[in-house]
Amino acid sequence: MIKSMTGYGKSQSSNGGYEISVEMKGVNHRYFDLHLRIPRRYMLLEDRIKEELKQYIARGRVEVAVNVELNSQSARVLQLDKELAMAYYKALKDLGDFLDIPSDTRLIEIFRLPDVYRLSENVEDLEELWALLARDVAAAARSMVQMRVREGENLFEDICARCAYILQQVETLEQRVPEVNQAYETRLRTRLEECLAHAAISADEGHIIQEVAFFADKASITEELVRLRSHLRQMEEMLRDGDNVGKKCDFLMQEMFREINTVASKANDLSMSQIVVDVKSELEKIREQIQNVE
Protein backbone atom coordinates (compact mmCIF):
# COMPACT_ATOMS: atom_id res chain seq x y z
CA MET A 1 0.00 0.00 0.00
CA ILE A 2 1.22 3.50 -0.77
CA LYS A 3 2.43 6.00 1.82
CA SER A 4 2.01 9.72 1.89
CA MET A 5 5.07 11.93 2.30
CA THR A 6 3.26 13.96 4.96
CA GLY A 7 3.74 12.85 8.54
CA TYR A 8 4.94 13.65 12.03
CA GLY A 9 6.79 11.64 14.66
CA LYS A 10 8.37 12.24 18.03
CA SER A 11 10.30 10.27 20.64
CA GLN A 12 11.75 11.15 24.04
CA SER A 13 13.88 9.21 26.48
CA SER A 14 15.97 9.60 29.58
CA ASN A 15 18.81 7.12 29.91
CA GLY A 16 22.54 6.90 30.50
CA GLY A 17 22.71 10.42 31.91
CA TYR A 18 21.09 11.91 28.78
CA GLU A 19 17.80 13.59 28.11
CA ILE A 20 17.08 12.94 24.41
CA SER A 21 14.30 14.31 22.23
CA VAL A 22 13.81 13.60 18.52
CA GLU A 23 11.06 15.34 16.57
CA MET A 24 10.49 15.03 12.83
CA LYS A 25 7.98 16.03 10.21
CA GLY A 26 7.79 15.19 6.53
CA VAL A 27 6.37 16.89 3.45
CA ASN A 28 6.47 16.08 -0.23
CA HIS A 29 9.69 16.34 -2.24
CA ARG A 30 11.01 14.68 -5.39
CA TYR A 31 13.88 13.02 -3.49
CA PHE A 32 14.92 12.19 0.06
CA ASP A 33 15.83 15.60 1.48
CA LEU A 34 16.97 15.72 5.10
CA HIS A 35 17.12 18.95 7.10
CA LEU A 36 18.69 18.24 10.48
CA ARG A 37 18.97 20.46 13.52
CA ILE A 38 21.31 19.03 16.15
CA PRO A 39 23.67 20.55 18.75
CA ARG A 40 26.98 21.45 17.14
CA ARG A 41 28.99 19.13 19.35
CA TYR A 42 27.07 16.14 17.95
CA MET A 43 27.32 17.02 14.26
CA LEU A 44 29.54 13.96 13.69
CA LEU A 45 26.40 11.84 14.12
CA GLU A 46 24.59 13.47 11.18
CA ASP A 47 25.50 10.78 8.63
CA ARG A 48 24.40 8.02 10.99
CA ILE A 49 21.05 9.72 11.55
CA LYS A 50 20.58 10.04 7.78
CA GLU A 51 21.35 6.37 7.17
CA GLU A 52 18.99 5.33 9.96
CA LEU A 53 16.16 7.38 8.48
CA LYS A 54 16.70 5.92 5.01
CA GLN A 55 15.63 2.56 6.39
CA TYR A 56 12.15 3.99 6.93
CA ILE A 57 11.80 6.82 4.42
CA ALA A 58 12.51 6.66 0.69
CA ARG A 59 11.32 10.06 -0.50
CA GLY A 60 10.25 13.42 0.86
CA ARG A 61 11.59 16.41 2.71
CA VAL A 62 12.17 15.45 6.34
CA GLU A 63 12.88 18.05 9.00
CA VAL A 64 14.45 16.53 12.10
CA ALA A 65 15.16 18.33 15.38
CA VAL A 66 17.44 16.49 17.80
CA ASN A 67 17.97 17.77 21.33
CA VAL A 68 20.51 16.08 23.62
CA GLU A 69 21.16 17.26 27.16
CA LEU A 70 23.26 15.83 29.92
CA ASN A 71 21.49 15.67 33.26
CA SER A 72 22.74 17.80 36.15
CA GLN A 73 24.85 15.00 37.61
CA SER A 74 26.57 14.09 34.37
CA ALA A 75 26.87 17.40 32.65
CA ARG A 76 29.74 18.99 34.62
CA VAL A 77 32.47 18.06 37.06
CA LEU A 78 33.69 20.40 39.81
CA GLN A 79 37.45 20.26 40.18
CA LEU A 80 39.12 21.75 43.29
CA ASP A 81 42.75 22.77 43.60
CA LYS A 82 43.19 21.97 47.29
CA GLU A 83 46.89 22.80 47.29
CA LEU A 84 46.20 26.25 45.90
CA ALA A 85 43.43 26.76 48.47
CA MET A 86 45.84 25.79 51.25
CA ALA A 87 48.42 28.21 49.89
CA TYR A 88 45.83 30.99 49.87
CA TYR A 89 44.88 30.16 53.46
CA LYS A 90 48.47 30.19 54.73
CA ALA A 91 49.21 33.41 52.87
CA LEU A 92 46.19 35.10 54.38
CA LYS A 93 47.05 33.82 57.84
CA ASP A 94 50.67 35.03 57.55
CA LEU A 95 49.46 38.40 56.27
CA GLY A 96 47.10 38.68 59.25
CA ASP A 97 49.92 37.90 61.68
CA PHE A 98 52.22 40.40 59.94
CA LEU A 99 49.65 43.17 60.05
CA ASP A 100 48.45 42.15 63.49
CA ILE A 101 44.92 41.66 62.14
CA PRO A 102 42.77 38.79 63.41
CA SER A 103 42.54 36.04 60.79
CA ASP A 104 38.88 35.06 60.51
CA THR A 105 38.83 34.05 56.85
CA ARG A 106 35.75 32.04 55.94
CA LEU A 107 35.81 28.99 53.74
CA ILE A 108 33.56 30.51 51.07
CA GLU A 109 35.96 33.42 50.69
CA ILE A 110 38.83 31.07 49.92
CA PHE A 111 36.59 29.11 47.52
CA ARG A 112 35.94 32.28 45.54
CA LEU A 113 39.60 33.10 45.08
CA PRO A 114 41.00 32.73 41.51
CA ASP A 115 41.59 29.20 40.21
CA VAL A 116 40.57 27.45 43.43
CA TYR A 117 37.88 25.65 41.48
CA ARG A 118 36.79 25.15 37.89
CA LEU A 119 33.93 23.44 36.11
CA SER A 120 34.72 21.07 33.28
CA GLU A 121 32.49 19.23 30.85
CA ASN A 122 32.47 15.47 30.93
CA VAL A 123 34.20 13.87 27.97
CA GLU A 124 31.36 12.19 26.08
CA ASP A 125 31.56 8.87 24.30
CA LEU A 126 29.77 9.39 20.96
CA GLU A 127 29.43 5.66 20.43
CA GLU A 128 27.63 5.33 23.73
CA LEU A 129 25.43 8.31 22.88
CA TRP A 130 24.60 6.94 19.42
CA ALA A 131 23.42 3.66 20.93
CA LEU A 132 20.83 5.70 22.86
CA LEU A 133 20.04 8.24 20.15
CA ALA A 134 19.53 5.63 17.43
CA ARG A 135 16.61 4.14 19.36
CA ASP A 136 14.86 7.50 19.54
CA VAL A 137 15.52 8.28 15.88
CA ALA A 138 14.04 4.90 14.89
CA ALA A 139 11.05 5.31 17.22
CA ALA A 140 10.25 8.78 15.85
CA ALA A 141 10.63 7.51 12.28
CA ARG A 142 8.27 4.59 12.91
CA SER A 143 5.73 6.96 14.42
CA MET A 144 5.93 9.21 11.37
CA VAL A 145 5.66 6.24 8.98
CA GLN A 146 2.45 5.14 10.72
CA MET A 147 0.93 8.54 10.03
CA ARG A 148 2.18 8.41 6.43
CA VAL A 149 0.53 5.02 5.97
CA ARG A 150 -2.80 6.28 7.26
CA GLU A 151 -2.59 9.31 4.99
CA GLY A 152 -1.60 7.00 2.11
CA GLU A 153 -4.80 4.99 2.60
CA ASN A 154 -6.84 8.17 2.21
CA LEU A 155 -4.90 9.13 -0.91
CA PHE A 156 -5.44 5.67 -2.37
CA GLU A 157 -9.21 5.83 -1.90
CA ASP A 158 -9.44 9.31 -3.39
CA ILE A 159 -7.25 8.53 -6.42
CA CYS A 160 -9.03 5.25 -7.17
CA ALA A 161 -12.41 6.98 -7.02
CA ARG A 162 -11.23 9.60 -9.49
CA CYS A 163 -9.73 6.97 -11.79
CA ALA A 164 -13.05 5.10 -11.80
CA TYR A 165 -14.87 8.30 -12.70
CA ILE A 166 -12.47 9.00 -15.57
CA LEU A 167 -12.96 5.45 -16.88
CA GLN A 168 -16.71 6.14 -16.98
CA GLN A 169 -16.04 9.30 -18.98
CA VAL A 170 -13.82 7.33 -21.37
CA GLU A 171 -16.71 4.96 -22.00
CA THR A 172 -18.96 7.93 -22.72
CA LEU A 173 -16.43 9.31 -25.21
CA GLU A 174 -16.24 5.96 -27.02
CA GLN A 175 -20.01 5.78 -27.25
CA ARG A 176 -20.16 9.31 -28.60
CA VAL A 177 -17.76 8.73 -31.52
CA PRO A 178 -20.26 6.94 -33.87
CA GLU A 179 -22.85 9.63 -33.15
CA VAL A 180 -20.33 12.35 -34.07
CA ASN A 181 -19.47 10.58 -37.33
CA GLN A 182 -23.15 10.20 -38.17
CA ALA A 183 -23.80 13.85 -37.38
CA TYR A 184 -20.92 14.84 -39.68
CA GLU A 185 -22.36 12.77 -42.51
CA THR A 186 -25.78 14.33 -42.02
CA ARG A 187 -24.35 17.85 -42.11
CA LEU A 188 -22.28 17.02 -45.18
CA ARG A 189 -25.30 15.67 -47.09
CA THR A 190 -27.39 18.67 -46.08
CA ARG A 191 -24.80 21.17 -47.30
CA LEU A 192 -24.34 19.31 -50.58
CA GLU A 193 -28.05 19.15 -51.18
CA GLU A 194 -28.33 22.89 -50.52
CA CYS A 195 -25.47 23.65 -52.89
CA LEU A 196 -26.79 21.37 -55.66
CA ALA A 197 -30.45 22.23 -55.27
CA HIS A 198 -30.50 24.40 -58.41
CA ALA A 199 -27.87 22.43 -60.32
CA ALA A 200 -28.47 19.77 -62.86
CA ILE A 201 -26.15 17.31 -61.05
CA SER A 202 -26.59 15.16 -57.98
CA ALA A 203 -24.22 14.36 -55.16
CA ASP A 204 -21.86 11.45 -55.72
CA GLU A 205 -22.63 8.86 -53.02
CA GLY A 206 -19.17 7.40 -53.30
CA HIS A 207 -17.52 10.74 -52.65
CA ILE A 208 -19.74 11.32 -49.65
CA ILE A 209 -18.84 7.96 -48.15
CA GLN A 210 -15.16 8.61 -48.86
CA GLU A 211 -15.32 12.03 -47.17
CA VAL A 212 -17.06 10.62 -44.10
CA ALA A 213 -14.49 7.82 -43.85
CA PHE A 214 -11.67 10.34 -44.10
CA PHE A 215 -13.25 12.43 -41.31
CA ALA A 216 -13.76 9.37 -39.11
CA ASP A 217 -10.13 8.33 -39.55
CA LYS A 218 -8.77 11.80 -38.89
CA ALA A 219 -10.96 12.27 -35.80
CA SER A 220 -10.45 8.76 -34.43
CA ILE A 221 -9.57 8.74 -30.73
CA THR A 222 -9.66 4.98 -30.23
CA GLU A 223 -5.92 4.58 -29.71
CA GLU A 224 -5.77 7.46 -27.24
CA LEU A 225 -8.68 6.12 -25.21
CA VAL A 226 -7.20 2.61 -25.15
CA ARG A 227 -3.91 3.94 -23.83
CA LEU A 228 -5.65 6.24 -21.33
CA ARG A 229 -7.71 3.34 -20.00
CA SER A 230 -4.56 1.20 -19.74
CA HIS A 231 -2.67 3.93 -17.85
CA LEU A 232 -5.51 4.38 -15.37
CA ARG A 233 -5.71 0.68 -14.58
CA GLN A 234 -1.94 0.39 -14.35
CA MET A 235 -1.83 3.27 -11.88
CA GLU A 236 -4.48 1.67 -9.70
CA GLU A 237 -2.53 -1.61 -9.70
CA MET A 238 0.69 0.15 -8.70
CA LEU A 239 -1.02 2.07 -5.93
CA ARG A 240 -2.64 -1.10 -4.63
CA ASP A 241 0.34 -3.46 -4.77
CA GLY A 242 3.44 -1.29 -4.82
CA ASP A 243 5.55 0.75 -2.45
CA ASN A 244 7.60 3.85 -3.27
CA VAL A 245 5.75 4.24 -6.58
CA GLY A 246 5.39 8.02 -6.55
CA LYS A 247 7.89 8.62 -9.36
CA LYS A 248 6.32 5.95 -11.57
CA CYS A 249 2.90 7.51 -11.03
CA ASP A 250 4.34 10.91 -11.96
CA PHE A 251 5.41 9.44 -15.30
CA LEU A 252 1.98 7.87 -15.89
CA MET A 253 0.33 11.20 -15.20
CA GLN A 254 2.40 12.83 -17.94
CA GLU A 255 1.33 10.12 -20.37
CA MET A 256 -2.34 10.47 -19.46
CA PHE A 257 -2.25 14.22 -19.98
CA ARG A 258 -0.62 13.63 -23.35
CA GLU A 259 -3.42 11.26 -24.40
CA ILE A 260 -6.28 13.47 -23.23
CA ASN A 261 -4.72 16.53 -24.89
CA THR A 262 -4.63 14.60 -28.17
CA VAL A 263 -8.28 13.69 -27.68
CA ALA A 264 -9.03 17.38 -27.08
CA SER A 265 -7.35 18.35 -30.35
CA LYS A 266 -9.43 15.79 -32.27
CA ALA A 267 -12.76 16.51 -30.61
CA ASN A 268 -15.23 17.95 -33.11
CA ASP A 269 -18.20 17.89 -30.81
CA LEU A 270 -19.29 20.16 -27.98
CA SER A 271 -20.31 17.34 -25.63
CA MET A 272 -16.98 15.55 -26.21
CA SER A 273 -15.09 18.78 -25.52
CA GLN A 274 -16.98 19.20 -22.26
CA ILE A 275 -16.13 15.62 -21.23
CA VAL A 276 -12.46 16.22 -22.06
CA VAL A 277 -12.40 19.34 -19.88
CA ASP A 278 -13.96 17.33 -17.05
CA VAL A 279 -11.38 14.53 -17.46
CA LYS A 280 -8.49 17.01 -17.47
CA SER A 281 -9.83 18.56 -14.27
CA GLU A 282 -9.91 15.15 -12.57
CA LEU A 283 -6.43 14.30 -13.84
CA GLU A 284 -5.10 17.53 -12.40
CA LYS A 285 -6.58 16.64 -9.01
CA ILE A 286 -4.98 13.20 -9.22
CA ARG A 287 -1.64 14.75 -10.10
CA GLU A 288 -1.83 16.96 -7.01
CA GLN A 289 -2.44 13.87 -4.88
CA ILE A 290 0.30 11.85 -6.61
CA GLN A 291 2.83 14.56 -5.79
CA ASN A 292 2.42 13.59 -2.14
CA VAL A 293 2.87 9.84 -2.70
CA GLU A 294 6.22 8.43 -1.55
Side-chain angles (χ1 to χ4, degrees), residues 115-128:
D115 299 327
V116 172
Y117 80 95
R118 63 187 179 91
L119 290 174
S120 63
E121 300 287 343
N122 267 338
V123 178
E124 297 180 68
D125 186 344
L126 288 184
E127 293 298 327
E128 180 181 344

Side-chain angles (χ1 to χ4, degrees), residues 1 11 14 39 75 84 106-107 112 115 117 158 160 169 171 178 182 184 191 232 237 239 249 287:
M1 182 63 70
S11 178
S14 178
L84 180 61
R106 294 184 300 170
L107 181 62
R112 291 172 176 170
D115 299 327
Y117 80 95
D158 182 78
C160 286
Q169 298 300 87
E171 296 293 336
Q182 182 61 47
Y184 175 78
R191 286 198 297 267
L232 288 166
E237 290 176 0
L239 294 176
C249 290
R287 178 160 62 183

Side-chain angles (χ1 to χ4, degrees), residues 251-290:
F251 172 75
L252 278 181
M253 290 305 307
Q254 296 175 18
E255 295 301 308
M256 284 190 278
F257 269 105
R258 183 178 292 111
E259 302 301 342
I260 199 62
N261 285 332
T262 303
V263 172
S265 67
K266 292 183 177 182
N268 290 280
D269 177 69
L270 178 60
S271 62
M272 290 180 67
S273 297
Q274 291 173 340
I275 293 173
V276 167
V277 170
D278 194 16
V279 169
K280 291 176 71 172
S281 175
E282 289 300 309
L283 286 176
E284 186 62 40
K285 293 174 183 177
I286 293 175
R287 178 160 62 183
E288 293 176 358
Q289 300 287 41
I290 289 297

